[in-house]
Amino acid sequence: MLANKSYIDDFSAPPPPSTHIDELKSIVASTEDKTVTDPISDLIREIQTLWARVDMLNNRTEQKRQAGIVISVNNWIIQAAKTYALAESLFEYARGESEEGPLEVKVKHLESVIFRYHLEDADLSAMIKVLMEKSELVWRRG
């Protein structure tokens, strides 16, 4: 369980990804292909939302005030994995291996990101199971 992991006490959020956001915004502004601009726009929103949530962890007073911080962190891990999976799904287009951007991102892709970085635990596995029961997709274009 995440509650037993000691890194929460030592957590220091990374610097905000503002340069990446600006770069992504310039791609959206210079591209007319909705199959590319839609996922990148969603990626920008996800990164900004996730950053706002993670930045709260730098505030120790807010950490103590927040009941259920472990549940929140697990939700943020899932959101981060979804964001990462969405960014990865753009690689085929970026490499010129596809004529258009991604159509969808599956829960299985999100799950593979969590396993790749050894973030899995019983709570996250249960949350992923709930996601899969709702839909096999965590993102769909349009």
Side-chain angles (χ1 to χ4, degrees):
M1 287 183 47
L2 187 59
N4 297 330
K5 294 181 181 174
S6 62
Y7 63 78
I8 291 177
D9 292 333
D10 301 333
F11 180 82
S12 178
S18 55
T19 58
H20 300 302
I21 298 294
D22 292 341
E23 291 163 358
L24 291 170
K25 285 179 179 179
S26 70
I27 292 169
V28 171
S30 65
T31 307
E32 293 181 17
D33 185 347
K34 297 281 285 169
T35 72
V36 176
T37 58
D38 284 357
I40 292 176
S41 295
D42 288 347
L43 190 58
I44 291 168
R45 277 190 295 278
E46 289 290 332
I47 291 170
Q48 289 173 326
T49 303
L50 185 60
W51 172 252
R53 292 174 176 161
V54 170
D55 189 45
M56 182 274 301
L57 290 176
N58 278 330
N59 183 330
R60 301 291 181 231
T61 303
E62 181 65 16
Q63 279 185 29
K64 290 175 183 167
R65 188 189 70 75
Q66 276 261 338
I69 189 78
V70 171
I71 293 169
S72 294
V73 170
N74 278 335
N75 282 320
W76 302 339
I77 289 171
I78 287 190
Q79 183 182 5
K82 173 188 169 191
T83 303
Y84 195 98
L86 178 56
E88 278 187 342
S89 72
L90 287 157
F91 285 176
E92 284 184 17
Y93 175 82
R95 291 183 189 126
E97 298 169 359
S98 173
E99 292 294 316
E100 53 184 45
L103 178 61
E104 61 192 26
V105 175
K106 296 185 176 190
V107 175
K108 285 286 188 189
H109 192 164
L110 173 151
E111 183 179 39
S112 74
V113 170
I114 288 172
F115 287 136
R116 187 179 323 149
Y117 292 100
H118 309 289
L119 298 172
E120 71 277 359
D121 67 14
D123 292 334
L124 279 172
S125 294
M127 292 171 81
I128 291 167
K129 183 179 178 188
V130 169
L131 282 174
M132 285 184 176
E133 289 170 356
K134 289 181 182 178
S135 172
E136 70 174 334
L137 304 177
V138 289
W139 180 86
R140 183 167 183 82
R141 184 175 67 219

